[in-house]
Amino acid sequence: MFTTTLFYISNIIMAYALILMFYTCLTRPTDVRYTLLSLIKQRRRSMVTLLAIIMGGIAVFIFGGFVQYSFWQLKEQTIRTNIGHIQIYKEGYLESGSPTSSLKYTISNYDEIKSLLMNDPQIGPNIKAITGQLSFAGIISQYEKGVSTFFSGVGIEPETSLILGSLDRVISGSDLSRIMTHQITIGSGVSNLLSAGYNDWVDMLVVNPNGGQDAMSTQIRGVFQSGIKEYDETSIKMPLETAQRLLQTKDITKIIILLNDTEQTQNVITNIGKLIKQHNLPLEYKPWNELALYYHQVVNLFEGIFFFIKSIVSIIVVFMISNTLMMNVIERTKEIATLRALGLTKHYIRRLFVLEGITIGIIGSILSVSLGIIIAELINIHGVPMPPSPGYTKGYLAFVLWNEGYELFWFSCALPLVTAVIASIIPARKASNLIIAEAFRFV
Amino acid sequence: MKIKQFISLLLFISYLWLHMPLSSAQELREYMADSQAALDHLSQTMNTTVRNRNIIKINTSTSLSELTQATDALKLSIEQHPNDLFAKMYYGYGLLFLSSNYQQNKNYMRAAELSKQGFFFIDEAAESKPEDWRLRYLRARMDSFVPAEEGRCIIAINDLKQLNNSQQIPNELNGIIAYLYSNALTLCQQLDEAKKISDQLPELSGHGNLLFKLKHVVPFLTQEEITNILQPILEGGK
């Protein structure tokens, strides 16, 4: 709410500044010339002020680009570590809670639903991959070493799991196979606990939907690492048909959809809702952002830090410009008195000083963005190594994402211009309220 | 006289010391040139089908557009002939080369997707017919040189152990197999074993003495590989 209000106020100020400049250029070009000459007259002071504005603008631009990249990276990492963009469940699944009780809420007509989704003209073209997944839990053991641990397993289609889990890194061995369907992949935490790796045999004990127990001996074909500690410590994956055989069911727990573009999520969700209503399907669904708790925590943290930095930079820029203009007013007291004596109104004098502030702001905006882009591209040659995000075990290489969306450009232009206008208000008022007689006597 | 003899001996030893590595480097260059000539000849004589042309392109192209074209064509070929395991293997190769390209251009998301798909198809090709040593060899050749963090070295070691124990392998491939094995062991941090294998290279047939000089560099497609692996694959696709 607060940031939205600030956004609208800033837009109004920017619009005022640009209209004023444009109007002055058209109707009184000599005023613009006068403004520029006044700034050039105090070259050193103007340069120092401009430098402070540019540095503040660049800092905000680069940090904003980092933050945008970090958000994008985290978002895609979340989505492509087996969550997908949208998940569809049997009605009642979300309330049921744990994976074991979720075997009561399974989808039995997956092929039919998949066909409906793929053939829908609003939904189908947006889908990059769609897969059924069967979730289950149990105990996995390596009897030779006398070690057992609990696991949370998923049965997934091997080929689609490559796209859905494209950021699940295999650190030893291979991904799931359509040929060696009896083989499984395990998380790095499970591998460490069992001291088991590629080609080792393990035994699994699970509870099937009927409440009975099933067991299976299987070979490990790969060890994966998603970067999420809790996930890697308990997860195993196997081909969907193997999981269905193990649990003696043809059903699946959920349908996971990966879209071509994350921005289409809301649109597709709406259409899925319509499709479900239209065909009276007993299904419910959730988008990825409601499933990714860590993502929101990290985003909120970064946004708070960024807001704090923006505020600090804005205050510094306001003071710098205000100081420069105030010094200008003091030094040009007699000049202002002369102008007033010649017949210029208070409003006119005020406008001249506001124009000076706007000019500094416009030059600062252009240079901030231009230099910001150059520095961003230089940084993007190699990137910057970053530590892992909260809840993750793997760091990443950060870049400055400056060319996705307009928000960064808007803020980098708004910061110098809005702060310049605000900073010029007091000096302009001071200049316009000078008493002519006293001003002439000023030494 | 004694001093003159000593200086002459010193000069002769220096000449030998300087000359020997040069001749080995020259031999290696000649071997590379002969292998390239064999590949060029094969490319000209065997490019009679779309499938063969694209397999040759995967082995020879470095440009992104040619690789993309060849990979897409092989994908189509697999859809039409799902039992053509060599086309599937080279499709996997193509995806991995494309992944490497995207990685260099910092498109990490796309690189990760293609990398996973590439290894998936290579594994599927090799595991569909485990008795075909050529498929296992081709998988091992890729796995022996991908970065260690891909975790493929363990698969390469497994494959190369099986190849070493197989009676079907022509003797002239002993050198290159040992070279791949040594590199896979190095990637998996089994350095003592790797050094043992590497030290045996100069005595092995199939230009083992020249492969020894490469020192963990991805090898060019050797004459022996062209004759014993690529040529039969392309002849099968005529």
Side-chain angles (χ1 to χ4, degrees), chain B residues 75-93:
Chain B
K75 183 180 182 185
L76 208 59
S77 183
I78 297 163
E79 282 165 9
Q80 290 164 357
H81 308 282
N83 294 329
D84 187 351
L85 298 174
F86 289 107
K88 193 175 277 190
M89 176 65 71
Y90 281 107
Y91 174 58
Y93 265 53

PDB file of all heavy atoms in Angstrom, chain B residues 75-93:
ATOM      1  N   LYS B  75      16.557 -36.338 -34.104  1.00  0.00           N
ATOM      2  CA  LYS B  75      15.357 -36.539 -33.274  1.00  0.00           C
ATOM      3  C   LYS B  75      14.228 -37.101 -34.144  1.00  0.00           C
ATOM      4  O   LYS B  75      13.530 -38.051 -33.757  1.00  0.00           O
ATOM      5  CB  LYS B  75      14.942 -35.211 -32.652  1.00  0.00           C
ATOM      6  CG  LYS B  75      13.753 -35.351 -31.713  1.00  0.00           C
ATOM      7  CD  LYS B  75      13.358 -34.030 -31.095  1.00  0.00           C
ATOM      8  CE  LYS B  75      12.197 -34.249 -30.147  1.00  0.00           C
ATOM      9  NZ  LYS B  75      11.683 -32.997 -29.589  1.00  0.00           N
ATOM     10  N   LEU B  76      14.108 -36.506 -35.315  1.00  0.00           N
ATOM     11  CA  LEU B  76      13.083 -36.970 -36.266  1.00  0.00           C
ATOM     12  C   LEU B  76      13.365 -38.408 -36.691  1.00  0.00           C
ATOM     13  O   LEU B  76      12.458 -39.248 -36.776  1.00  0.00           O
ATOM     14  CB  LEU B  76      13.139 -36.051 -37.498  1.00  0.00           C
ATOM     15  CG  LEU B  76      11.843 -35.876 -38.276  1.00  0.00           C
ATOM     16  CD1 LEU B  76      10.764 -35.306 -37.377  1.00  0.00           C
ATOM     17  CD2 LEU B  76      12.078 -34.937 -39.461  1.00  0.00           C
ATOM     18  N   SER B  77      14.638 -38.691 -36.909  1.00  0.00           N
ATOM     19  CA  SER B  77      15.069 -40.026 -37.332  1.00  0.00           C
ATOM     20  C   SER B  77      14.713 -41.066 -36.267  1.00  0.00           C
ATOM     21  O   SER B  77      14.232 -42.159 -36.577  1.00  0.00           O
ATOM     22  CB  SER B  77      16.580 -39.980 -37.575  1.00  0.00           C
ATOM     23  OG  SER B  77      17.028 -41.202 -38.050  1.00  0.00           O
ATOM     24  N   ILE B  78      14.913 -40.708 -35.004  1.00  0.00           N
ATOM     25  CA  ILE B  78      14.612 -41.639 -33.900  1.00  0.00           C
ATOM     26  C   ILE B  78      13.107 -41.896 -33.821  1.00  0.00           C
ATOM     27  O   ILE B  78      12.668 -43.018 -33.557  1.00  0.00           O
ATOM     28  CB  ILE B  78      15.097 -41.073 -32.551  1.00  0.00           C
ATOM     29  CG1 ILE B  78      16.606 -40.900 -32.516  1.00  0.00           C
ATOM     30  CG2 ILE B  78      14.713 -41.996 -31.405  1.00  0.00           C
ATOM     31  CD1 ILE B  78      17.051 -39.999 -31.399  1.00  0.00           C
ATOM     32  N   GLU B  79      12.333 -40.826 -34.061  1.00  0.00           N
ATOM     33  CA  GLU B  79      10.869 -40.988 -34.003  1.00  0.00           C
ATOM     34  C   GLU B  79      10.397 -41.940 -35.102  1.00  0.00           C
ATOM     35  O   GLU B  79       9.478 -42.728 -34.900  1.00  0.00           O
ATOM     36  CB  GLU B  79      10.188 -39.621 -34.125  1.00  0.00           C
ATOM     37  CG  GLU B  79      10.222 -38.820 -32.834  1.00  0.00           C
ATOM     38  CD  GLU B  79       9.896 -37.345 -33.020  1.00  0.00           C
ATOM     39  OE1 GLU B  79       9.481 -36.947 -34.127  1.00  0.00           O
ATOM     40  OE2 GLU B  79      10.067 -36.603 -32.040  1.00  0.00           O
ATOM     41  N   GLN B  80      11.075 -41.861 -36.259  1.00  0.00           N
ATOM     42  CA  GLN B  80      10.685 -42.739 -37.368  1.00  0.00           C
ATOM     43  C   GLN B  80      11.261 -44.145 -37.206  1.00  0.00           C
ATOM     44  O   GLN B  80      10.655 -45.123 -37.613  1.00  0.00           O
ATOM     45  CB  GLN B  80      11.168 -42.135 -38.696  1.00  0.00           C
ATOM     46  CG  GLN B  80      10.397 -40.886 -39.086  1.00  0.00           C
ATOM     47  CD  GLN B  80      11.114 -40.081 -40.150  1.00  0.00           C
ATOM     48  OE1 GLN B  80      12.228 -40.406 -40.573  1.00  0.00           O
ATOM     49  NE2 GLN B  80      10.499 -39.004 -40.588  1.00  0.00           N
ATOM     50  N   HIS B  81      12.453 -44.227 -36.632  1.00  0.00           N
ATOM     51  CA  HIS B  81      13.117 -45.532 -36.457  1.00  0.00           C
ATOM     52  C   HIS B  81      13.558 -45.666 -35.005  1.00  0.00           C
ATOM     53  O   HIS B  81      14.740 -45.465 -34.683  1.00  0.00           O
ATOM     54  CB  HIS B  81      14.340 -45.646 -37.384  1.00  0.00           C
ATOM     55  CG  HIS B  81      14.028 -45.343 -38.806  1.00  0.00           C
ATOM     56  ND1 HIS B  81      13.402 -46.234 -39.648  1.00  0.00           N
ATOM     57  CD2 HIS B  81      14.239 -44.224 -39.544  1.00  0.00           C
ATOM     58  CE1 HIS B  81      13.247 -45.677 -40.836  1.00  0.00           C
ATOM     59  NE2 HIS B  81      13.745 -44.466 -40.807  1.00  0.00           N
ATOM     60  N   PRO B  82      12.639 -45.995 -34.102  1.00  0.00           N
ATOM     61  CA  PRO B  82      12.979 -46.020 -32.671  1.00  0.00           C
ATOM     62  C   PRO B  82      14.033 -47.075 -32.311  1.00  0.00           C
ATOM     63  O   PRO B  82      14.632 -46.999 -31.245  1.00  0.00           O
ATOM     64  CB  PRO B  82      11.650 -46.354 -31.977  1.00  0.00           C
ATOM     65  CG  PRO B  82      10.621 -46.463 -33.015  1.00  0.00           C
ATOM     66  CD  PRO B  82      11.233 -46.329 -34.350  1.00  0.00           C
ATOM     67  N   ASN B  83      14.259 -48.044 -33.202  1.00  0.00           N
ATOM     68  CA  ASN B  83      15.250 -49.084 -32.901  1.00  0.00           C
ATOM     69  C   ASN B  83      16.660 -48.708 -33.329  1.00  0.00           C
ATOM     70  O   ASN B  83      17.598 -49.481 -33.116  1.00  0.00           O
ATOM     71  CB  ASN B  83      14.860 -50.407 -33.577  1.00  0.00           C
ATOM     72  CG  ASN B  83      13.569 -50.945 -32.984  1.00  0.00           C
ATOM     73  OD1 ASN B  83      13.277 -50.723 -31.811  1.00  0.00           O
ATOM     74  ND2 ASN B  83      12.779 -51.618 -33.801  1.00  0.00           N
ATOM     75  N   ASP B  84      16.816 -47.515 -33.933  1.00  0.00           N
ATOM     76  CA  ASP B  84      18.158 -47.097 -34.366  1.00  0.00           C
ATOM     77  C   ASP B  84      18.882 -46.499 -33.160  1.00  0.00           C
ATOM     78  O   ASP B  84      18.825 -45.300 -32.888  1.00  0.00           O
ATOM     79  CB  ASP B  84      18.030 -46.063 -35.500  1.00  0.00           C
ATOM     80  CG  ASP B  84      19.377 -45.726 -36.116  1.00  0.00           C
ATOM     81  OD1 ASP B  84      20.420 -46.148 -35.560  1.00  0.00           O
ATOM     82  OD2 ASP B  84      19.401 -45.031 -37.149  1.00  0.00           O
ATOM     83  N   LEU B  85      19.569 -47.369 -32.446  1.00  0.00           N
ATOM     84  CA  LEU B  85      20.188 -46.953 -31.179  1.00  0.00           C
ATOM     85  C   LEU B  85      21.378 -46.026 -31.403  1.00  0.00           C
ATOM     86  O   LEU B  85      21.672 -45.182 -30.556  1.00  0.00           O
ATOM     87  CB  LEU B  85      20.606 -48.189 -30.380  1.00  0.00           C
ATOM     88  CG  LEU B  85      19.438 -49.101 -29.977  1.00  0.00           C
ATOM     89  CD1 LEU B  85      19.966 -50.362 -29.311  1.00  0.00           C
ATOM     90  CD2 LEU B  85      18.484 -48.382 -29.041  1.00  0.00           C
ATOM     91  N   PHE B  86      22.057 -46.187 -32.532  1.00  0.00           N
ATOM     92  CA  PHE B  86      23.205 -45.310 -32.793  1.00  0.00           C
ATOM     93  C   PHE B  86      22.743 -43.881 -33.093  1.00  0.00           C
ATOM     94  O   PHE B  86      23.368 -42.912 -32.665  1.00  0.00           O
ATOM     95  CB  PHE B  86      24.076 -45.872 -33.919  1.00  0.00           C
ATOM     96  CG  PHE B  86      24.836 -47.091 -33.499  1.00  0.00           C
ATOM     97  CD1 PHE B  86      24.473 -48.348 -33.969  1.00  0.00           C
ATOM     98  CD2 PHE B  86      25.905 -46.997 -32.611  1.00  0.00           C
ATOM     99  CE1 PHE B  86      25.158 -49.482 -33.564  1.00  0.00           C
ATOM    100  CE2 PHE B  86      26.590 -48.131 -32.199  1.00  0.00           C
ATOM    101  CZ  PHE B  86      26.211 -49.379 -32.680  1.00  0.00           C
ATOM    102  N   ALA B  87      21.618 -43.771 -33.791  1.00  0.00           N
ATOM    103  CA  ALA B  87      21.055 -42.431 -34.023  1.00  0.00           C
ATOM    104  C   ALA B  87      20.681 -41.802 -32.680  1.00  0.00           C
ATOM    105  O   ALA B  87      20.906 -40.614 -32.447  1.00  0.00           O
ATOM    106  CB  ALA B  87      19.830 -42.508 -34.930  1.00  0.00           C
ATOM    107  N   LYS B  88      20.129 -42.620 -31.786  1.00  0.00           N
ATOM    108  CA  LYS B  88      19.751 -42.130 -30.451  1.00  0.00           C
ATOM    109  C   LYS B  88      20.999 -41.692 -29.684  1.00  0.00           C
ATOM    110  O   LYS B  88      21.020 -40.662 -29.007  1.00  0.00           O
ATOM    111  CB  LYS B  88      19.030 -43.243 -29.686  1.00  0.00           C
ATOM    112  CG  LYS B  88      18.324 -42.771 -28.429  1.00  0.00           C
ATOM    113  CD  LYS B  88      17.528 -43.874 -27.777  1.00  0.00           C
ATOM    114  CE  LYS B  88      16.182 -44.031 -28.413  1.00  0.00           C
ATOM    115  NZ  LYS B  88      15.290 -44.921 -27.665  1.00  0.00           N
ATOM    116  N   MET B  89      22.062 -42.493 -29.803  1.00  0.00           N
ATOM    117  CA  MET B  89      23.318 -42.163 -29.108  1.00  0.00           C
ATOM    118  C   MET B  89      23.859 -40.824 -29.594  1.00  0.00           C
ATOM    119  O   MET B  89      24.233 -39.963 -28.800  1.00  0.00           O
ATOM    120  CB  MET B  89      24.339 -43.288 -29.368  1.00  0.00           C
ATOM    121  CG  MET B  89      25.717 -43.048 -28.783  1.00  0.00           C
ATOM    122  SD  MET B  89      25.793 -42.997 -26.990  1.00  0.00           S
ATOM    123  CE  MET B  89      25.521 -44.704 -26.558  1.00  0.00           C
ATOM    124  N   TYR B  90      23.870 -40.653 -30.904  1.00  0.00           N
ATOM    125  CA  TYR B  90      24.415 -39.403 -31.446  1.00  0.00           C
ATOM    126  C   TYR B  90      23.468 -38.231 -31.229  1.00  0.00           C
ATOM    127  O   TYR B  90      23.897 -37.088 -31.146  1.00  0.00           O
ATOM    128  CB  TYR B  90      24.797 -39.558 -32.921  1.00  0.00           C
ATOM    129  CG  TYR B  90      26.127 -40.253 -33.078  1.00  0.00           C
ATOM    130  CD1 TYR B  90      26.204 -41.568 -33.523  1.00  0.00           C
ATOM    131  CD2 TYR B  90      27.308 -39.594 -32.736  1.00  0.00           C
ATOM    132  CE1 TYR B  90      27.427 -42.203 -33.638  1.00  0.00           C
ATOM    133  CE2 TYR B  90      28.533 -40.225 -32.844  1.00  0.00           C
ATOM    134  CZ  TYR B  90      28.582 -41.537 -33.289  1.00  0.00           C
ATOM    135  OH  TYR B  90      29.801 -42.166 -33.395  1.00  0.00           O
ATOM    136  N   TYR B  91      22.188 -38.504 -31.103  1.00  0.00           N
ATOM    137  CA  TYR B  91      21.236 -37.457 -30.714  1.00  0.00           C
ATOM    138  C   TYR B  91      21.604 -36.946 -29.320  1.00  0.00           C
ATOM    139  O   TYR B  91      21.640 -35.736 -29.066  1.00  0.00           O
ATOM    140  CB  TYR B  91      19.809 -38.006 -30.753  1.00  0.00           C
ATOM    141  CG  TYR B  91      18.756 -37.061 -30.227  1.00  0.00           C
ATOM    142  CD1 TYR B  91      18.584 -35.795 -30.777  1.00  0.00           C
ATOM    143  CD2 TYR B  91      17.909 -37.431 -29.180  1.00  0.00           C
ATOM    144  CE1 TYR B  91      17.619 -34.925 -30.291  1.00  0.00           C
ATOM    145  CE2 TYR B  91      16.940 -36.565 -28.690  1.00  0.00           C
ATOM    146  CZ  TYR B  91      16.801 -35.312 -29.248  1.00  0.00           C
ATOM    147  OH  TYR B  91      15.849 -34.457 -28.763  1.00  0.00           O
ATOM    148  N   GLY B  92      21.899 -37.901 -28.428  1.00  0.00           N
ATOM    149  CA  GLY B  92      22.351 -37.524 -27.087  1.00  0.00           C
ATOM    150  C   GLY B  92      23.636 -36.704 -27.133  1.00  0.00           C
ATOM    151  O   GLY B  92      23.778 -35.703 -26.433  1.00  0.00           O
ATOM    152  N   TYR B  93      24.566 -37.112 -27.991  1.00  0.00           N
ATOM    153  CA  TYR B  93      25.809 -36.359 -28.177  1.00  0.00           C
ATOM    154  C   TYR B  93      25.492 -34.928 -28.602  1.00  0.00           C
ATOM    155  O   TYR B  93      26.063 -33.972 -28.084  1.00  0.00           O
ATOM    156  CB  TYR B  93      26.661 -37.027 -29.278  1.00  0.00           C
ATOM    157  CG  TYR B  93      27.717 -37.993 -28.794  1.00  0.00           C
ATOM    158  CD1 TYR B  93      27.403 -39.038 -27.932  1.00  0.00           C
ATOM    159  CD2 TYR B  93      29.034 -37.867 -29.227  1.00  0.00           C
ATOM    160  CE1 TYR B  93      28.378 -39.928 -27.514  1.00  0.00           C
ATOM    161  CE2 TYR B  93      30.016 -38.758 -28.817  1.00  0.00           C
ATOM    162  CZ  TYR B  93      29.677 -39.796 -27.958  1.00  0.00           C
ATOM    163  OH  TYR B  93      30.651 -40.688 -27.543  1.00  0.00           O
TER     164      TYR B  93
END
